[in-house]
């Protein structure tokens, strides 16, 4: 199991922050472009391996995020229509991940089928937003980070509406 930590800025127009591992080492750099319509986030790894880009679009009034990895792989994060809870899927040609948990408290488990592959939760009583990602299956690290960035952006948009 590996843990990652996202510490966001207090006042932000766009997001620019580092993602740290459990030893305090910076492992990712997150940079959001300022745009009036849509959203683009570039995530690069400090170890020199492939990073990814997250593009936000709208389909049927619900946000959809397309993640493109530097190696050409593409996945989609899709928010589904529900009345009382959030339903978010991560879809690729190779697998499907399902996010389950409490959207308002930022406490989630990520499933592939009935197997838990990761957890995302928000730490409270901190000076700024701090998210903890527990990566239970190493091959899904980038996907869980992309899900966390998308969830945070969905919450930010709902706050501003």
């Amino acid at each position: 199991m590996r843990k990652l930590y996202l510490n966001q800025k207090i006042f932000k127009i766009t997001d620019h922050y580092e993602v740290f591992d459990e030893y305090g080492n910076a492992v990712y750099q997150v940079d959001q472009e300022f745009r009036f319509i849509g959203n683009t986030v570039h995530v690069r790894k400090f170890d020199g391996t492939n990073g990814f880009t997250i593009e936000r679009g709208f389909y049927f009034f619900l946000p959809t995020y397309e993640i493109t990895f530097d190696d050409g792989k593409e996945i989609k994060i899709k928010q589904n229509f529900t009345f009382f809870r959030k339903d978010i899927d991560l879809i690729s040609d190779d697998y499907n991940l399902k996010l389950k948990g409490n959207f308002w408290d930022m406490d989630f488990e990520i499933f592939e089928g009935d197997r838990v592959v990761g957890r995302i939760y928000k730490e409270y009583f901190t000076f700024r937003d701090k998210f903890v990602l527990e990566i239970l299956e190493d091959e899904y690290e980038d996907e869980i980070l992309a899900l966390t960035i998308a969830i945070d952006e969905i919450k930010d948009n709902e706050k501003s509406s």
Side-chain angles (χ1 to χ4, degrees):
M1 181 179 83
R2 176 176 162 133
K3 284 189 177 183
L4 298 177
Y5 299 90
L6 281 75
N7 294 315
Q8 295 185 329
K9 294 180 180 178
I10 299 168
F11 302 106
K12 59 182 180 179
I13 294 174
T14 60
D15 280 330
H16 300 283
Y17 55 89
E18 294 175 336
V19 178
F20 296 92
D21 65 12
E22 60 266 27
Y23 306 108
N25 301 315
V27 289
Y28 293 93
Q29 175 68 43
V30 178
D31 293 304
Q32 178 185 10
E33 290 180 14
F34 179 76
R35 297 170 75 186
F36 289 107
I37 298 174
N39 185 18
T40 302
V41 178
H42 301 280
V43 180
R44 98 179 145 80
K45 296 181 181 182
F46 279 101
D47 68 1
T49 59
N50 292 334
F52 56 93
T53 301
I54 304 171
E55 294 272 348
R56 180 177 144 216
F58 283 98
Y59 301 98
F60 304 109
F61 302 106
L62 294 172
T64 300
Y65 298 85
E66 297 192 15
I67 297 91
T68 305
F69 292 86
D70 289 348
D71 64 4
K73 177 176 133 182
E74 293 183 356
I75 59 177
K76 186 180 285 192
I77 296 174
K78 184 176 142 218
Q79 181 178 343
N80 302 308
F81 180 76
T82 59
F83 283 106
F84 298 110
R85 62 182 177 82
K86 295 290 185 218
D87 184 16
I88 298 174
D89 295 322
L90 188 144
I91 303 161
S92 90
D93 292 337
D94 303 323
Y95 53 84
N96 291 330
L97 300 180
K98 184 79 168 170
L99 185 75
K100 295 181 182 179
N102 187 331
F103 192 78
W104 305 114
D105 290 335
M106 287 296 294
D107 187 12
F108 303 104
E109 289 185 320
I110 299 104
F111 291 85
E112 181 184 32
D114 54 357
R115 180 175 57 124
V116 177
V117 297
R119 293 184 181 88
I120 303 168
Y121 56 91
K122 183 175 179 179
E123 285 192 351
Y124 290 96
F125 307 112
T126 60
F127 190 59
R128 53 188 172 178
D129 285 346
K130 183 174 187 175
F131 299 99
V132 179
L133 289 64
E134 291 181 0
I135 315 298
L136 303 176
E137 302 286 336
D138 291 341
E139 67 266 23
Y140 297 113
E141 181 173 311
D142 290 341
E143 289 84 348
I144 293 170
L145 177 57
L147 268 170
T148 305
I149 293 168
I151 291 165
D152 182 49
E153 205 262 338
I154 290 168
K155 284 190 69 82
D156 285 349
N157 286 337
E158 287 179 351
K159 277 185 203 176
S160 66
S161 295

